Amino acid sequence: MVVDDDFFNRMALSLVLKVSGVDVTSQVEEAENGLIAYNKIVENPQSFKMIFMDVTMPVMDGLVSTKKIKAHYNS
């Protein structure tokens, strides 16, 4: 998953991941902020092997989102 509030950053990193063959069998999921990413991960945790998270984003930044994701799976 690529999480960034900037569309072009998401697009560029998604393209790099696809071209490099990170996991060519699945699509790279994208999210515009940490809250969307958190919700997607909690709803379907088996879908994500890696998360590239921007730190500064509106709604929920990457640090808060990462802490919530970790807390969700450590509880």
Side-chain angles (χ1 to χ4, degrees):
M1 175 182 282
V2 176
V3 186
D4 196 312
D5 58 316
D6 185 286
F7 169 76
F8 294 105
N9 288 345
R10 289 193 317 271
M11 184 176 61
L13 185 52
S14 293
L15 180 61
V16 167
L17 291 171
K18 289 175 187 175
V19 169
S20 66
V22 170
D23 186 355
V24 295
T25 60
S26 65
Q27 182 177 353
V28 176
E29 185 82 28
E30 298 180 8
E32 300 87 44
N33 62 60
L35 181 59
I36 294 171
Y38 173 78
N39 289 333
K40 286 183 177 188
I41 291 164
V42 169
E43 289 172 9
N44 200 356
Q46 302 303 320
S47 294
F48 306 103
K49 296 178 183 177
M50 290 186 285
I51 304 168
F52 292 89
M53 182 86 69
D54 185 17
V55 175
T56 55
M57 293 178 287
V59 182
M60 182 184 293
D61 68 39
L63 296 175
V64 172
S65 179
T66 300
K67 287 178 184 176
K68 286 182 62 99
I69 292 165
K70 286 177 70 175
H72 178 79
Y73 290 103
N74 289 333
S75 59

